[in-house]
């Protein structure tokens, strides 16, 4: 109500076979709270509180609507150079809310955003839940939006049950990626995840890439996309446009 929440965007790049990257592949929307005394509060400190006090619905709606509006604004301004996919995180409580799927459809309609440009991210533990949750994920898919499994590797669901989940993309958790270049075990886990995902026609994103050597590993394992501080920290919308622009200038 006091407009203290805002959304930042972290680029997600596509790793091209020629060794280059497509920088306009997509972005992930990440919420922040500008608190008058505490300064900028990260989502880890307030998402769960919002869930517990019943504010997650309003918070999630705000992020979704802001993200879709910004996405369409970039389309209008940059055309084909604009990011092609907008990822938005979902919390457990949102998925369970009556009427929520209809409100996603409404935001898409109101903003004019193509459903296939929206990727909703759910965690493994959430996606692997009961039949009800599964049914809701299928309802979302029926709208035409993409689904991603976030933080893969940190929950209980396994590679052997990946085929049961209606997801298009698997995001490999940072805890694996950050050891990609130092631990053979983690390297093999990433490799196995990429291979199983590919065998099911799913894309993979390596989360939390911070160094060139981590990037080299996930690239050699044919991961489709990468996200992390190595490319960019999450940025306010205005800075994201500058980031896209400066990289285009360098490429040209
Ligand atoms: P996530 O969806 O897995 O988002 C990625 C998180 O990793 C972000 O943290 C991002 O800033 C951080 N990150 C990205 N690259 C790197 C890197 O190279 N190194 C390190 N150390 N970190 C990196 P953030 O923004 O603090 O968000 C944390 C989590 O909070 C998100 O994890 C997501 O689960 C949740 N979250 C964020 N925004 C929302 C939202 O609007 N709604 C809901 N329900 N959850 C959200
Ligand atoms: Mg996410
Ligand atoms: Mg994640």
């Amino acid at each position: 109500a006091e407009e203290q929440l805002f959304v930042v965007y972290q680029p997600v790049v596509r790793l091209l076979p020629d060794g280059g990257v497509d920088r306009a592949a997509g972005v992930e929307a990440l919420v922040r709270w500008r608190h008058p005394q505490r300064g900028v509060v990260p989502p880890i400190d307030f998402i769960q509180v919002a869930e517990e006090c019943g504010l997650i619905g309003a918070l999630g709606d705000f992020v979704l609507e802001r993200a879709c509006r910004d996405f369409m604004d970039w389309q209008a301004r940059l055309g084909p150079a604009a990011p092609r996919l907008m990822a938005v995180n979902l919390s457990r409580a949102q998925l369970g809310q009556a009427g929520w799927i209809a409100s996603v459809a409404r935001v898409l309609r109101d903003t004019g955003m193509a459903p296939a440009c929206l990727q909703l991210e759910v965690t493994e533990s959430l996606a692997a839940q009961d039949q009800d949750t599964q049914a809701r994920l299928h309802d979302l898919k029926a709208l035409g939006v993409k689904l991603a499994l976030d933080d893969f590797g940190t929950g209980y669901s396994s590679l052997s049950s990946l085929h049961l989940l209606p997801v298009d993309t698997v995001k490999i958790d940072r805890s694996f990626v950050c050891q990609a270049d130092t631990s053979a075990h983690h390297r093999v886990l990433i490799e196995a995840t990429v291979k199983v995902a590919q065998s099911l026609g799913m894309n993979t994103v390596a989360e939390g890439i911070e160094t060139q050597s981590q990037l080299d590993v996930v690239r050699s394992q044919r991961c489709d996309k990468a996200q992390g501080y190595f490319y960019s920290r999450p940025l306010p919308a205005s800075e994201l446009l500058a980031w896209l622009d400066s990289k285009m200038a360098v490429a040209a």
Side-chain angles (χ1 to χ4, degrees):
E2 295 181 17
E3 298 185 6
Q4 292 170 0
L5 293 178
F6 65 105
V7 181
V8 288
Y9 299 97
Q10 186 175 36
V12 180
V13 304
R14 175 176 288 282
L15 303 174
L16 302 172
D18 67 0
V21 294
D22 171 4
R23 292 173 185 268
V27 297
E28 177 169 7
L30 297 158
V31 70
R32 300 286 182 265
W33 177 13
R34 188 175 288 108
H35 188 282
Q37 278 86 43
R38 293 193 194 173
V40 176
V41 184
I44 186 118
D45 290 347
F46 65 87
I47 290 287
Q48 205 189 330
V49 182
E51 285 181 343
E52 285 162 7
C53 68
L55 282 173
I56 193 70
L59 186 151
D61 288 352
F62 163 76
V63 174
L64 181 66
E65 193 152 346
R66 179 77 267 157
C68 293
R69 291 206 183 286
D70 282 342
F71 183 88
M72 293 308 287
D73 178 49
W74 304 332
Q75 296 284 309
R77 290 212 229 172
L78 305 180
R84 287 185 297 283
L85 191 70
M86 172 60 77
V88 176
N89 293 286
L90 276 194
S91 91
R92 178 184 305 259
Q94 276 174 288
L95 203 56
Q97 262 176 2
W100 182 73
I101 290 176
S103 81
V104 175
R106 182 185 49 75
V107 171
L108 289 169
R109 207 174 44 240
D110 289 355
T111 57
M113 183 163 166
C117 294
L118 179 64
Q119 168 172 293
L120 296 174
E121 303 197 349
V122 295
T123 58
E124 252 186 295
S125 50
L126 170 57
Q129 291 250 318
D130 50 290
Q131 300 257 303
D132 238 34
T133 308
Q134 292 281 323
R136 278 163 181 271
L137 291 176
H138 282 284
D139 290 346
L140 278 173
K141 289 253 16 159
L143 288 183
V145 305
K146 306 281 184 206
L147 294 182
L149 208 50
D150 211 343
D151 307 341
F152 187 79
T154 58
Y156 285 112
S157 80
S158 65
L159 285 173
S160 61
S161 54
L162 204 50
H163 71 287
L164 299 172
L165 302 174
V167 298
D168 307 279
T169 296
V170 176
K171 298 188 78 169
I172 303 168
D173 192 65
R174 180 161 62 86
S175 58
F176 295 88
V177 172
C178 71
Q179 299 184 69
D181 52 341
T182 53
S183 151
H185 173 64
H186 289 86
R187 210 152 44 233
V188 173
L189 285 172
I190 295 170
E191 188 177 1
T193 304
V194 172
K195 285 194 168 141
V196 172
Q198 275 174 353
S199 76
L200 296 167
M202 298 171 182
N203 295 304
T204 48
V205 179
E207 295 193 276
I209 296 281
E210 291 187 358
T211 67
Q212 177 74 52
S213 59
Q214 290 165 0
L215 175 64
D216 292 343
V217 173
V218 300
R219 193 188 267 288
S220 72
Q221 292 174 342
R222 307 258 181 282
C223 208
D224 299 297
K225 293 182 187 174
Q227 175 177 1
Y229 296 169
F230 182 71
Y231 289 106
S232 173
R233 291 193 175 245
L235 301 169
S238 57
E239 286 176 38
L240 177 78
L241 292 191
W243 184 86
L244 286 166
D245 225 29
S246 67
K247 301 305 174 186
M248 284 191 309
V250 170

